[in-house]
């Protein structure tokens, strides 16, 4: 993993100093040796959560993700926000949308990067307006948002949210040989890719275990963004995306829905952060006339006047047709009517 991302070269320049990465997940074991002293625990937006056997109430997944961020950016800080119990069961136990609430809390409490290795069985994959609005607020606040592309590539390949929201940097997963992992969801929203197979990550309660998925790939990519921001804390979300995609593995060959622009190149991204491209996404002042008019001189489209004579003829024909249809129905019903027997006799009335 370190060799694939070229971390040694990148960490000689930056190690995430002064950067806080908000990990929106199942919560974090802050006492784990890999995380001790580096984690601030924020609100729990789930509470007791689900009684499902699949529920990750002790922060197994979140602990792993936080450790993966710190593998890349060892001097960064983690803000842990619990927005799922990992069970994938619908509903919000404490009310409101936990992802939207977590994003807003991260923005208000100084997060520099938001990392969301969530989706699929963890929270479903449906579009949500509250989450979209929260992602927009993060962009306005200058906070890059990364999310896992999804692990349905070898199943139904459904779109996943929050990865699919505009403004989110979606991260696909690669095997150890640099090719796409079979489970990694194939979507046009994929921006970049990172290692996602056999990633040695921290386990809650101590110890380590290998995990697969676009989840660790996202955490590793978020760590690279932390390195970039420790090199240049003025980077905007648009500049972060541009740098990641233009320095990635096959940027010159263009975008692919398989893995975006390819594997993240950590040292190249950190170097580019020192001299970032211009951010052209800022609002531009309107310099036209102060009234609603056609600024390019094109005349407005004018529809021809309605021909009332044709409308009258058409309406009359429609009325006649309707009348004939009604008569035909009654005639048909009359033809199908049977004579009723007379009480006490055999003849017809």
């Amino acid at each position: 993993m370190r060799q694939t991302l070229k971390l040694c070269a990148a960490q000689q320049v930056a190690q995430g100093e002064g950067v806080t990465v908000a990990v929106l997940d199942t919560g974090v074991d802050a006492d784990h040796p890999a995380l001790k002293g580096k984690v601030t625990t924020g609100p729990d937006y789930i509470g007791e959560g689900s009684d499902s056997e699949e529920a990750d109430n002790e922060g197994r997944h979140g602990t792993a993700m936080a450790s993966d961020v710190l593998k890349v950016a060892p001097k960064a800080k983690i803000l842990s926000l619990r927005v799922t119990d990992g069970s994938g069961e619908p509903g919000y136990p404490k009310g409101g949308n936990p992802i939207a609430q977590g994003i807003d809390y991260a923005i208000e409490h100084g997060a520099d990067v938001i990392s969301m290795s969530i989706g699929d069985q963890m929270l479903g994959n449906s579009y949500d307006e509250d989450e979209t609005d929260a992602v927009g607020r993060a962009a306005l606040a200058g906070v890059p948002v990364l999310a896992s592309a999804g692990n349905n590539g070898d199943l139904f390949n459904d779109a996943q949210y929050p990865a699919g929201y505009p403004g989110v940097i979606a991260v696909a997963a690669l095997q150890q040989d640099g090719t796409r992992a079979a489970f990694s969801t194939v979507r046009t929203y994929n921006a970049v890719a990172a290692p996602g197979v056999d990633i040695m990550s921290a386990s809650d309660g101590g110890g380590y275990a290998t995990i697969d998925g676009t989840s660790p790939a996202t955490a590793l990519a978020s760590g690279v963004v932390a390195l970039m921001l420790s090199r240049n804390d003025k980077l905007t979300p648009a500049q972060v995306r541009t740098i990641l995609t233009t320095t990635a593995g096959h940027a010159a060959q263009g975008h692919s829905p398989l893995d975006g622009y390819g594997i993240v190149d950590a040292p190249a991204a950190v170097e580019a952060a020192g001299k970032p491209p211009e951010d052209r996404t800022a609002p531009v002042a309107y310099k036209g006339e102060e009234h609603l008019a056609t600024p390019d001189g094109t005349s407005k489209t004018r529809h021809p006047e309605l021909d009332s004579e044709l409308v009258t003829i058409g309406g009359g024909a429609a009325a006649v047709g309707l009348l004939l249809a009604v008569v035909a129905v009654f005639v048909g019903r009359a033809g199908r009517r049977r004579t009723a027997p007379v009480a006490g006799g055999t003849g017809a009335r």
Side-chain angles (χ1 to χ4, degrees), residues 155-316:
L155 296 171
F156 300 107
N157 204 52
D158 293 333
Q160 174 170 303
Y161 298 96
Y165 293 133
V168 173
I169 300 172
V171 184
L174 302 176
Q175 301 183 88
Q176 293 177 339
D177 62 2
T179 60
R180 168 186 159 267
F183 57 77
S184 185
T185 297
V186 179
R187 284 276 161 176
T188 55
Y189 59 58
N190 288 341
V192 290
V197 176
D198 290 335
I199 306 301
M200 187 65 70
S201 308
S203 300
D204 62 295
Y208 296 83
T210 58
I211 60 174
D212 299 341
T214 56
S215 287
T218 300
L220 295 172
S222 297
V224 173
V225 175
L227 297 181
M228 295 165 59
L229 290 172
S230 67
R231 174 76 188 277
N232 182 356
D233 63 1
K234 299 296 192 294
L235 292 177
T236 67
Q239 289 174 321
V240 168
R241 174 186 285 272
T242 298
I243 290 172
L244 286 176
T245 56
T246 56
T247 59
H250 57 73
Q253 285 73 45
H255 180 271
S256 167
L258 297 172
D259 60 357
Y261 287 92
I263 188 168
V264 171
D265 188 327
V270 172
E271 180 181 357
K275 295 182 179 179
E278 182 182 356
D279 185 348
R280 299 179 180 275
T281 62
V284 178
Y286 176 63
K287 298 180 180 179
E289 298 292 335
E290 295 182 1
H291 56 80
L292 297 176
T294 51
D296 59 359
T298 304
S299 60
K300 295 181 179 179
T301 301
R302 183 187 177 103
H303 294 285
E305 294 183 2
L306 188 66
D307 191 328
S308 57
E309 183 178 350
L310 290 177
V311 172
T312 302
I313 294 173

Side-chain angles (χ1 to χ4, degrees), residues 1-16 38 67-75 174-178 193-201 208 216-217 220-221 223-224 227 263-268 270:
M1 181 273 294
R2 292 186 64 84
Q3 292 179 345
T4 306
L5 289 176
K6 308 174 188 176
L7 288 184
C8 290
Q11 289 173 346
Q12 289 177 3
V13 180
Q15 296 195 8
K38 299 180 179 180
S67 73
D68 290 342
V69 170
L70 293 177
K71 268 188 250 176
V72 179
K75 293 186 178 179
L174 302 176
Q175 301 183 88
Q176 293 177 339
D177 62 2
V197 176
D198 290 335
I199 306 301
M200 187 65 70
S201 308
Y208 296 83
L220 295 172
V224 173
L227 297 181
I263 188 168
V264 171
D265 188 327
V270 172

